[in-house]
Amino acid sequence: MFTNNFSDIEEKFNIQFIAIESLEQTEELSKAYLGKKGVLTALMETLKSLPQDEKQAFGKSINILKSKINAKLLQKKTALEEKELLSKLLQESSDPTLPSAPLIAPGSHPINQVLTEVCEIFTALGFSIAEGPEIETDENNFGALNIPEHHPARDMHDTFYITNPNSTGNLLRTHTSPVQVRVMRSQNPPIRIIAPGKVYRHEAVDATHSSVFHQVEGLVVDEGISFADLKGTLDIFARNFFGEKIKTRFRPSYFPFVEPGAEVDITCTVCANTKTYCPVCKGTGWIEMLGAGMVHPNVFKAVGYLDPKLTGFAFGMGIERICMIRYGISDMRLFYENNVDFLKQF
Ligand code: PHE
């Protein structure tokens, strides 16, 4: 007799349950069926008036229905809570009104800063800036610079050669010295230029080698230019760039396009030439800065400077190298890794 009653209640509950869309509605339905004044509570009240033999079965049915309703409502509640949380999280993670991450003030790369500074020092001395292409001819990069056919620098292992038939050159310049050739072939003396730029060498990359790096070339040609002019110029540069107390030292060296040629060192910026144990100069008190020398007569001949009264000097320095010396940077790769923590120090 009461079975019908129970299934009616369950059916009615199910219809209302399906329509639930919010936690509040779940709460309301829970109250309506299980609350103090709920349907099932009222039903329980009628238990008393039942004949003794029906009481047990009736009570059991109420309890079964109660726990069915309870379980359904609980499940719904959990699902709705999860849904609410998820939509909240989704909203938060794509909130377009949130302030953006702080911007790092853009600055110039340490290599560019040093390039600019080197150029400023030399332009203050009366040099002008010359440029040349990074794709060069064999003639400009080697031939006109008195670098003979068999010179190891011409080896495939040092130079990147290009085979594009439309290209104006056949290699990536291995130094900025071809700019010397270009300037002398297009201008008459006196010449006083520096040439900053990128150069390429087929190097295994490590802490002190990179296959792309930067150089600044210097060239002065006029009547009566002497080795003393070269020494004075580089001395002024070293003191301007590294500090007033810095001294230079010229050691004989070989570069095919200069004669005599020299390797120029500066007093150690770390131990100040105290010759104590120093990891930077290795206790010698000196750090190698650049290559230099007097322009070789064969270079003058190659570019058509035939006046015997003309003399000149040239030098070439690695920008990464002098930047590392100045800031005490031990690994060249740091310049190219775009690590903001490294770069923002400059
Ligand atoms: N071009 C030389 C190099 O890359 C440096 C240099 C330039 C040496 C000018 C002497 C004169 O090693």
Side-chain angles (χ1 to χ4, degrees), residues 174-177 180 201 215 217-218 255 257-258 291-293 314-316:
T174 58
H175 50 180
T176 42
S177 301
Q180 289 187 35
R201 287 187 199 173
Q215 284 190 336
E217 190 82 8
F255 299 96
F257 37 95
V258 286
F315 58 85

Side-chain angles (χ1 to χ4, degrees), residues 113-345:
Q113 285 180 32
V114 167
L115 263 177
T116 308
E117 199 181 324
V118 171
C119 289
E120 276 167 5
I121 293 172
F122 282 105
T123 47
L125 291 174
F127 284 71
S128 49
I129 293 174
E131 277 182 318
E134 289 167 22
I135 294 177
E136 262 298 3
T137 59
D138 210 80
E139 160 70 7
N140 286 346
N141 196 81
F142 297 126
L145 288 167
N146 196 34
I147 300 176
E149 212 69 66
H150 59 265
H151 195 283
R154 291 192 170 212
D155 201 287
M156 290 286 281
H157 298 296
D158 289 311
T159 305
F160 290 111
Y161 288 94
I162 287 167
T163 48
N164 184 349
N166 299 322
S167 164
T168 49
N170 66 325
L171 53 83
L172 296 181
R173 65 178 181 190
T174 58
H175 50 180
T176 42
S177 301
V179 185
Q180 289 187 35
V181 177
R182 285 181 176 268
V183 168
M184 287 191 276
R185 279 188 173 153
S186 62
Q187 289 173 36
N188 289 322
I191 292 207
R192 208 188 284 149
I193 57 107
I194 49 162
K198 261 191 215 123
V199 300
Y200 302 82
R201 287 187 199 173
H202 196 290
E203 303 264 22
V205 175
D206 64 21
T208 52
H209 295 89
S210 165
S211 46
V212 187
F213 58 102
H214 300 76
Q215 284 190 336
V216 170
E217 190 82 8
L219 174 71
V220 172
V221 182
D222 203 352
E223 282 181 23
I225 298 293
S226 70
F227 203 93
D229 295 316
L230 171 63
K231 284 193 82 172
T233 305
L234 291 179
D235 229 45
I236 291 174
F237 166 74
R239 275 189 276 129
N240 264 283
F241 188 80
F242 292 107
E244 267 312 305
K245 293 207 174 90
I246 294 294
K247 291 191 172 58
T248 56
R249 172 177 86 169
F250 286 65
R251 280 181 291 117
S253 186
Y254 174 69
F255 299 96
F257 37 95
V258 286
E259 179 58 36
E263 205 93 58
V264 184
D265 301 335
I266 56 163
T267 43
C268 180
T269 48
V270 173
C271 70
N273 203 13
T274 54
K275 299 203 170 75
T276 48
Y277 174 74
C278 170
V280 174
C281 67
K282 305 202 171 60
T284 62
W286 296 95
I287 306 172
E288 195 184 308
M289 180 174 70
L290 53 81
M294 300 306 288
V295 179
H296 197 287
N298 286 352
V299 176
F300 281 150
K301 217 185 281 170
V303 299
Y305 277 14
L306 302 174
D307 183 346
K309 289 196 292 279
L310 285 178
T311 51
F313 68 74
F315 58 85
M317 66 178 101
I319 294 302
E320 277 79 353
R321 182 168 182 78
I322 64 166
C323 192
M324 286 165 83
I325 297 172
R326 177 195 254 184
Y327 295 114
I329 297 164
S330 55
D331 195 325
M332 197 168 178
R333 288 167 288 199
L334 286 164
F335 291 129
Y336 318 115
E337 284 169 352
N338 283 336
N339 178 340
V340 175
D341 284 336
F342 170 74
L343 293 174
K344 72 183 175 194
Q345 298 176 89

